[in-house]
Amino acid sequence: MSGWKPGDPRRRTDAMIRVDQAGEYGATRIYAGQLAVMGDRGPAARAIAAMADQEERHRKFFDAMVARRGVRPTLFQPVWKVAGFALGAVTAAMGPEAAMACTAAVETEIDKHYAEQLAALGNDDPELSAAIADFQADELEHKETALASGAENALGYPVLSGLIRLGCRVAIATAKRI
């Protein structure tokens, strides 16, 4: 990293890969926490398990890209492991609608984040752009599933959603740099 100049495109794409890998890892941890509390009971748990499988596919892609391109992962990985699981467990303990509210909030921020990345990348990194576009479509599907499953009916939805979205923005900003 010391040989890079300001504005170096590799530095920018490395930061994108780092934050995306951290985000997909965090998503797998949120779903793991939710499923640990919910088990396999009910339609919400089945929907969450399906979304978790997609997030795991996303994470594996970014894990491989981190290794292949020599990108330094975020130093906050241990924090995401605990915080993601805790967020998932707490929202699931609040009920299926709160678990879905968590998904809707996270995916709202991830959609915005991926859209910003795609605009910034342009044609600079076709492999990364294609993956982000593919994963963004999955994330939008997750958001729609969550909303259709009653996310907005969760107790205190506006506050819960706002706090989770703020947490996502902080996590994204942190993983870009650290």
Side-chain angles (χ1 to χ4, degrees), residues 6-74:
D8 186 325
R10 174 144 184 241
R11 178 179 236 165
R12 183 186 66 198
T13 57
D14 282 4
M16 288 179 183
I17 294 165
R18 178 175 32 264
V19 73
D20 292 349
Q21 188 277 336
E24 297 298 350
Y25 177 75
T28 64
R29 297 302 299 156
I30 290 169
Y31 288 133
Q34 289 177 338
L35 292 170
V37 171
M38 297 175 86
D40 60 1
R41 301 179 309 268
R46 286 188 290 278
I48 289 168
M51 291 185 281
D53 288 344
Q54 286 182 313
E55 299 294 357
E56 184 64 23
R57 180 177 65 88
H58 302 173
R59 184 198 55 80
K60 286 179 179 178
F61 173 86
F62 283 117
D63 283 353
M65 188 171 261
V66 161
R68 191 173 68 254
R69 293 194 183 186
V71 175
R72 178 187 51 79
T74 181

Side-chain angles (χ1 to χ4, degrees), residues 108-177:
T108 296
E109 290 303 317
I110 298 309
D111 176 44
K112 287 174 42 182
H113 169 71
Y114 277 161
E116 290 168 2
Q117 284 187 332
L118 288 171
L121 279 170
N123 297 321
D124 289 349
D125 192 325
E127 178 190 22
L128 182 56
S129 293
I132 290 171
D134 178 37
F135 299 162
Q136 182 183 30
D138 289 344
E139 308 301 2
L140 284 172
E141 181 183 309
H142 298 172
K143 178 182 171 183
E144 293 306 317
T145 298
L147 292 171
S149 299
E152 295 171 310
N153 297 327
L155 182 64
Y157 175 77
V159 173
L160 180 63
S161 177
L163 288 173
I164 293 169
R165 289 181 64 187
L166 174 62
C168 288
R169 289 190 301 271
V170 168
I172 288 167
T174 302
K176 283 179 185 177
R177 293 168 184 83

